[in-house]
Amino acid sequence: MILTVTLNTALDVTYRVPRLHPHASHRVTDVTERPGGKGVNVARVLAALGHEVTATGFAGGRTGAVVRELLAGCPGVTDALVPCAGTTRRTLAVVDEASGDTTQFNEPGPLVGSAEWTAFLARYEDLLAGARAVALCGSLPPGVPVGAYAVLVRAARAAGVPVLLDTSGEALRRGVAARPEVIKPNAAELAELTGSRDPLPATRDARRRGAHAVVTSLGPDGLLAVTDQGTWQAAPPRVLSGNPTGAGDSAVAGLLSALTEGLDWPARLIRAVALSAATVRAPTAGEFDPRTYEEVRGSVKVTQAG
């Protein structure tokens, strides 16, 4: 199975409004709720691709109970979330139907105590025994040590399990030094890590900091990968309109699924770009439009860079 870790799980709530106006009341035309957080989104996409997936992290309070109830309805995803005393956060996305733009509000998450963190580490090490790969995704909830991902990367490496790390800030800075198999920053996260806004030298710099491979998300321009086997850029055939929330999580699912299947880097990037584009055309994060996926997958352009 593939293991996904979402330390800061969420209940993702999406509102759709005809047009978003600041300082005004709005009539919501549609509301959806999904189990969320980056790793949970990755798990749902992996399951849709036919992979056996286990999702772990923290869940607590009434919101956590709703997340677990909804997760039970996701075929192919096994719930291995660890209880915590605090209440799982909510994220609120407001979709402006006129423009297609999305405005996001993210709560900070529950305060995790030291005993809860210790319980999670024990569960994580047990789960690694049956994992083919692991994705470590998203922000850290309050109370979790800032070096948490470095600890989790080292545990996975000791167990012989390849790790993909998708986080930001100091958690990324410390995590990359633990030498994960892959990191997947976006352009802003990469610039924060390296101090450079030039994608190619910044991606190379990030790899020198410890990761075996760095795959940078360039938004509508696709992905840039610097690996020990070469450097490539993969781009979709055209820019697709829609909701970009969760597109990066789908790229992670594409990279991780292709890694476990033994595909080469160009094939991994093609899958990741196609899934990312297909998620833009889906109504909520953690889903992708199958027709768009098949269409884009056959048209992704992969070129060697640098």
Side-chain angles (χ1 to χ4, degrees), residues 27-264:
R27 186 176 298 278
V28 177
T29 58
D30 183 65
V31 181
T32 58
E33 292 185 341
R34 295 288 189 275
K38 293 178 71 65
V40 173
N41 293 337
V42 172
R44 290 166 57 205
V45 173
L46 285 168
L49 292 171
H51 289 271
E52 179 187 350
V53 191
T54 296
T56 190
F58 291 104
R62 296 176 63 183
T63 309
V66 174
V67 168
R68 301 191 82 158
E69 180 182 346
L70 293 172
L71 197 59
C74 297
V77 179
T78 298
D79 175 358
L81 295 171
V82 175
C84 65
T87 298
T88 295
R89 67 188 177 125
R90 295 165 297 175
T91 67
L92 176 63
V94 182
V95 179
D96 182 328
E97 294 180 326
S99 67
D101 290 339
T102 300
T103 301
Q104 191 91 11
F105 301 88
N106 296 328
E107 296 178 357
L111 177 64
V112 175
S114 59
E116 292 168 335
W117 174 239
T118 299
F120 171 79
L121 287 176
R123 174 68 65 86
Y124 175 72
E125 291 187 359
D126 287 343
L127 292 169
L128 283 175
R132 300 173 60 200
V134 58
L136 307 176
C137 302
S139 62
L140 301 178
V144 170
V146 70
Y149 282 134
V151 172
L152 301 183
V153 169
R154 285 193 290 267
R157 292 187 65 226
V161 180
V163 184
L164 189 154
L165 175 62
D166 182 16
T167 188
S168 61
E170 188 63 21
L172 174 59
R173 189 179 307 277
R174 298 197 187 194
V176 71
R179 302 187 59 78
E181 188 74 19
V182 185
I183 63 169
K184 196 214 68 65
N186 60 32
E189 292 161 350
L190 182 69
E192 183 181 12
L193 176 66
T194 65
S196 172
R197 295 191 175 276
D198 190 337
L200 183 55
T203 302
R204 286 174 171 157
D205 182 2
R207 183 169 178 265
R208 285 193 293 269
R209 293 168 186 258
H212 293 277
V214 179
V215 180
T216 300
S217 174
L218 303 176
D221 293 326
L223 299 171
L224 173 65
V226 175
T227 80
D228 59 357
Q229 299 172 27
T231 300
W232 292 274
Q233 184 165 352
R238 66 185 188 282
V239 176
L240 298 176
S241 63
N243 181 3
T245 305
D249 304 332
S250 291
V252 168
L255 293 170
L256 205 60
S257 63
L259 183 155
T260 63
E261 294 169 26
L263 302 185
D264 62 17

Side-chain angles (χ1 to χ4, degrees), residues 256-276:
L256 205 60
S257 63
L259 183 155
T260 63
E261 294 169 26
L263 302 185
D264 62 17
W265 270 106
R268 296 181 199 183
L269 296 172
I270 288 171
R271 181 178 295 182
V273 167
L275 282 171
S276 182

